[in-house]
Amino acid sequence: MPSMTFLRRAPCLLAVLLAAPALATTLVALDVEGLTRLSDVVVRAQVLSSQARITKDGARIVTDSELEVLEVLKGAPPKRLIAMQPGGVVGEIGQKVDATARFEPGEEVVVFLERRGERYTVAGMQQGRWKVERSGGKAVARPQTDGDALYLDPTTHAPVPRLAEPLSLDELFRRVKAALPAPAPAAPPPAGLTPKGLVP
C-alpha cells in the first residue's frame, strides 16, 4: 500500500518537508513477466511533460505525465497518452507518495501501464518505469530504484530485494514479448465452406 503524506506549508519549507521520511510503501515484487501480464499497455515512449494538479474533489494531488508512444509492445494505445500518478506539488501544497514512477521531460522510457478511463497508471508503481539510456550504439533499460518501498514476494509475502539490474533494451523487449498471451486460434470455416467459398 502506498505511503502518502499531505502537506500545506510555507513555500520555503515545502522542499524540506517533502523530503521528510515516511513509512515505506509496500509493493508486490514484480519481474518483467509479471509486469507484462498486469499491464494493459506496454510501450517505449518519450516523456513530453509532467504537470501536477488537484483532483476535482480537492482531496488529492496527482501528476499527469504526457507520453509520446514510439513503439508498442502490448495493447493498442493512442499515439499520445497520459500516465497519472498520485502525489506532486501545486503551489504551496505538496503530497508525497513513496515509490511512484518518476518522469522527466525529454527522457526515453519503457513503461508498463494499466488503463484508468482516458488515462493510465503505472503498473507496480516505480517497478513499471524503465529509463532507456543509449551509448555507442547500445541501448540499456534501467529500472527505477530510488523510491522508499518494501517489496514482498507475490507467493510467500516475505520481503525480497528489488529487481535493480539493468537489461539491454533487446532483452527487455524479448522478455515482454515472451510473456504476452498466445494468440487465439483461428476459428474453422463453417461446414460446407472452403476458404474460396462453397464446396461445389
Side-chain angles (χ1 to χ4, degrees):
M1 178 176 294
S3 172
M4 186 178 300
T5 305
F6 195 79
L7 304 167
R8 182 190 292 268
R9 294 290 187 274
C12 61
L13 297 178
L14 183 59
V16 174
L17 290 167
L18 284 175
L23 295 176
T25 295
T26 301
L27 299 173
V28 173
L30 296 167
D31 57 14
V32 173
E33 291 74 16
L35 285 166
T36 302
R37 289 189 291 268
L38 181 63
S39 301
D40 298 305
V41 163
V42 183
V43 297
R44 182 174 65 86
Q46 183 176 22
V47 181
L48 299 178
S49 64
S50 284
Q51 182 67 46
R53 61 181 172 87
I54 298 176
T55 55
K56 291 180 180 180
D57 61 8
R60 296 179 299 127
I61 293 176
V62 296
T63 296
D64 291 334
S65 297
E66 185 179 12
L67 308 179
E68 181 178 12
V69 175
L70 304 175
E71 187 172 356
V72 177
L73 301 175
K74 180 181 180 181
K79 181 63 177 175
R80 292 190 177 186
L81 57 83
I82 299 295
M84 180 180 66
Q85 298 207 87
V89 178
V90 178
E92 299 180 8
I93 304 172
Q95 190 171 37
K96 178 184 176 183
V97 181
D98 288 322
T100 54
R102 184 182 65 255
F103 293 106
E104 297 293 337
E107 71 179 353
E108 182 182 352
V109 292
V110 174
V111 284
F112 298 76
L113 301 167
E114 297 179 82
R115 186 183 294 276
R116 294 289 184 272
E118 294 182 354
R119 290 178 168 81
Y120 296 80
T121 59
V122 182
M125 298 186 71
Q126 71 174 10
Q127 299 176 91
R129 176 262 194 192
W130 295 62
K131 182 177 180 179
V132 178
E133 299 177 350
R134 298 180 182 274
S135 177
K138 296 181 180 179
V140 173
R142 297 186 182 278
Q144 184 180 320
T145 59
D146 58 352
D148 186 14
L150 173 66
Y151 293 93
L152 303 180
D153 183 274
T155 303
T156 66
H157 306 295
V160 294
R162 164 75 175 104
L163 174 64
E165 293 300 317
L167 296 173
S168 72
L169 191 59
D170 288 342
E171 176 64 9
L172 179 60
F173 282 11
R174 184 196 67 76
R175 289 178 60 177
V176 169
K177 291 174 182 177
L180 295 175
L193 293 178
T194 69
K196 293 185 180 180
L198 293 173
V199 175

